[in-house]
């Protein structure tokens, strides 16, 4: 399900407000994630600054390519493969999506923007989940991220 031009505009406009405070946003996202799922903390590196940067960079890529399904899927498929290796399951995507939306709301995303973000995240996570279903899980000692 593709996003409408208005939904793409809403996501891009709201993300433009977040980008100048990307470090705070990344920090707040992971605080929210670990509050919602404390067991997830052990899956991430002790030093989170690089991880937070990767999160915001991935979001920036997604936002930039919302109207380019091919570019979006070119990034989503390798991302899905990595997440299989990290042990990500479909339930994790739902949790990450909810924490993402709640974090965005704390940065002033309004109701229309929230709905656009939910749809955009649904498209991306749906593609990642579908791609991951055909891949066998790999064992890795520690995941780098559930979102990048």
């Amino acid at each position: 399900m593709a996003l409408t031009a208005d939904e793409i505009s809403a996501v891009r406009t709201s993300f433009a407000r977040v980008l100048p405070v990307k470090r705070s946003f990344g920090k707040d996202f992971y605080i929210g994630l670990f509050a919602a799922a404390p067991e997830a903390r052990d899956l991430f590196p002790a030093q989170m600054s690089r991880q937070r940067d990767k999160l915001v960079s991935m979001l920036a890529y997604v936002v930039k390519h919302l109207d380019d399904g091919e570019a979006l899927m070119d990034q989503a498929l390798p991302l899905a493969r990595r997440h299989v290796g990290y042990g990500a399951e479909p339930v994790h995507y739902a949790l990450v999506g909810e924490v993402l939306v709640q974090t965005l709301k704390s940065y002033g995303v309004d109701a229309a923007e929230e709905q656009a973000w939910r749809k955009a995240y649904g498209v991306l996570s749906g593609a990642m989940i579908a791609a991951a279903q055909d891949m066998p899980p790999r064992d890795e000692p520690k995941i780098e991220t559930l979102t990048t």
Side-chain angles (χ1 to χ4, degrees):
M1 148 186 3
L3 276 72
T4 67
D6 287 345
E7 290 167 332
I8 291 170
S9 178
V11 169
R12 287 179 175 161
T13 299
S14 60
F15 191 68
R17 294 191 312 266
V18 169
L19 208 47
V21 291
K22 63 185 178 185
R23 293 196 178 195
S24 295
F25 178 83
K27 183 178 180 181
D28 291 343
F29 170 82
Y30 283 106
I31 287 170
L33 180 63
F34 300 148
E39 67 280 6
R41 182 61 188 97
D42 290 340
L43 301 174
F44 291 85
Q47 172 47 264
M48 291 291 294
S49 60
R50 182 170 176 251
Q51 185 61 44
R52 291 188 296 261
D53 291 345
K54 289 171 76 173
L55 167 71
V56 176
S57 292
M58 179 54 63
L59 288 174
Y61 181 91
V62 168
V63 169
K64 179 179 180 180
H65 293 93
L66 283 173
D67 53 359
D68 184 352
E70 187 176 330
L72 199 55
M73 292 306 107
D74 285 348
Q75 186 67 21
L77 299 180
L79 193 57
R81 286 185 196 102
R82 288 194 306 270
H83 281 77
V84 166
Y86 305 148
E89 298 177 14
V91 67
H92 296 134
Y93 290 93
L95 173 65
V96 167
E98 191 56 38
V99 172
L100 175 64
V101 167
Q102 294 307 316
T103 306
L104 286 161
K105 286 172 65 174
S106 75
Y107 281 77
V109 167
D110 66 28
E113 292 166 336
E114 174 187 347
Q115 289 309 309
W117 272 99
R118 286 185 185 279
K119 188 173 176 182
Y121 182 79
V123 168
L124 179 63
S125 64
M128 290 177 66
I129 290 167
Q133 288 177 343
D134 294 330
M135 292 181 263
R138 300 181 320 210
D139 291 327
E140 290 191 13
K142 194 169 208 169
I143 70 168
E144 206 170 298
T145 179
L146 287 175
T147 58
T148 64

